[in-house]
């Protein structure tokens, strides 16, 4: 497996325009990866801030995610350590209560190809319901039960709620997430980067 293959693949992804006619701001696929990455983060889709900057998780959700991981920006944005691949690579547009769902074309078109170039991934974070529905077999119907059942996906996958400020109510209603899931997550992250 060669880094050149992954570099060429990422260039191809960044030129993707599969769903261009559905994107209000046009295509701007956002992805980060290197063949040596140990952590893979699969989220939803870029928001407007990420679309503008081209930097994944470059918004309040990303700030909270890095806080959950206890990871600084230099490590988080180092593709040799952390790969970031959303379910939808481009900003999908605004819906009635937040952004629209990730475009359905991206994951089937690109995920398997990218993952095949990431042989060192030891932990995958599935952030939010879209990623969890796509990747988890026998997933419970709701996010709360999916996150509570993290032992079912262990040791190489952790299901997390989306760190969006829109989920503040969910976080307040589920204090066990902070006392049980975050310590386990942080321990796994520490082991990953020893």
């Amino acid at each position: 497996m060669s880094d050149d293959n992954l570099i060429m693949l990422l260039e191809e992804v960044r030129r993707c325009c599969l769903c261009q006619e559905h994107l209000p701001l046009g295509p701007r696929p956002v992805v980060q990866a290197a063949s040596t990455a140990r952590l893979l983060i699969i989220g939803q889709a870029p928001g407007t801030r990420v679309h503008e900057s081209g930097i994944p998780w470059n918004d309040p959700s990303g700030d909270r995610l890095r806080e959950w991981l206890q990871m600084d920006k230099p490590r988080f944005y180092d593709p040799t350590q952390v790969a970031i691949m959303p379910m939808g690579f481009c900003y999908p547009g605004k819906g009635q209560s937040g952004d629209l769902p990730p475009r359905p074309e991206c994951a089937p078109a690109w995920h398997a190809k990218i993952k095949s170039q990431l042989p060192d991934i030891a932990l995958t974070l599935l952030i939010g319901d879209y990623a969890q529905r796509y990747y988890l077999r026998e997933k419970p119907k709701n996010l709360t039960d999916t996150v509570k059942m993290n032992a079912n996906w262990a040791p190489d996958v952790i299901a997390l709620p989306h760190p969006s400020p829109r989920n503040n109510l969910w976080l307040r209603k589920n204090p066990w997430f902070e006392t049980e899931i975050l310590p386990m997550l942080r321990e796994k992250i520490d082991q990953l980067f020893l």
Side-chain angles (χ1 to χ4, degrees):
M1 188 160 317
S2 130
D3 282 335
D4 291 342
N5 292 342
L6 179 56
I7 290 166
M8 290 185 338
L9 176 60
L10 293 177
E11 287 171 359
E12 188 180 348
V13 169
R14 290 182 179 118
R15 289 191 307 268
C16 179
C17 55
L18 277 174
C19 57
Q20 181 171 348
E21 67 272 12
H22 302 288
L23 302 173
L25 302 181
R28 185 173 192 182
V30 177
V31 61
Q32 167 182 305
S35 62
T36 56
R38 306 264 300 133
L39 175 64
L40 174 59
I41 298 173
I42 303 177
Q44 289 187 177
T48 53
R49 238 191 228 180
V50 172
H51 175 85
E52 289 167 9
S53 70
I55 301 169
W57 294 99
N58 183 31
D59 54 19
S61 296
D63 295 339
R64 179 178 273 166
L65 177 59
R66 285 184 293 278
E67 179 186 318
W68 286 353
L69 303 175
Q70 292 186 334
M71 187 179 292
D72 62 18
K73 283 185 175 185
R75 173 167 279 165
F76 187 84
Y77 289 117
D78 180 353
T80 67
Q81 298 184 61
V82 179
I84 300 173
M85 177 177 71
M87 291 301 295
F89 288 82
C90 298
Y91 172 66
K94 198 52 111 185
Q96 288 183 347
S97 61
D99 292 343
L100 290 171
R103 291 296 313 161
E105 298 88 346
C106 292
W110 298 115
H111 278 209
K113 291 177 184 176
I114 294 171
K115 286 175 70 175
S116 74
Q117 299 295 316
L118 303 175
D120 294 338
I121 296 298
L123 180 62
T124 299
L125 304 182
L126 299 176
I127 299 177
D129 197 49
Y130 296 107
Q132 292 159 13
R133 272 190 275 146
Y134 191 82
Y135 279 101
L136 296 178
R137 295 192 177 159
E138 300 176 26
K139 178 200 171 308
K141 289 190 190 288
N142 67 57
L143 174 75
T144 303
D145 290 341
T146 304
V147 175
K148 277 184 179 177
M149 293 174 59
N150 260 308
N152 289 20
W153 331 122
D156 54 350
V157 173
I158 297 177
L160 297 174
H162 196 283
S164 167
R166 290 180 176 276
N167 279 342
N168 285 343
L169 180 61
W170 186 92
L171 293 167
R172 278 196 301 276
K173 285 184 173 180
N174 296 283
W176 53 266
F177 175 76
E178 192 166 321
T179 58
E180 296 171 28
I181 303 299
L182 288 185
M184 177 269 298
L185 171 65
R186 290 166 178 162
E187 183 179 334
K188 290 215 178 251
I189 295 293
D190 288 345
Q191 292 168 359
L192 210 57
F193 297 113
L194 283 177

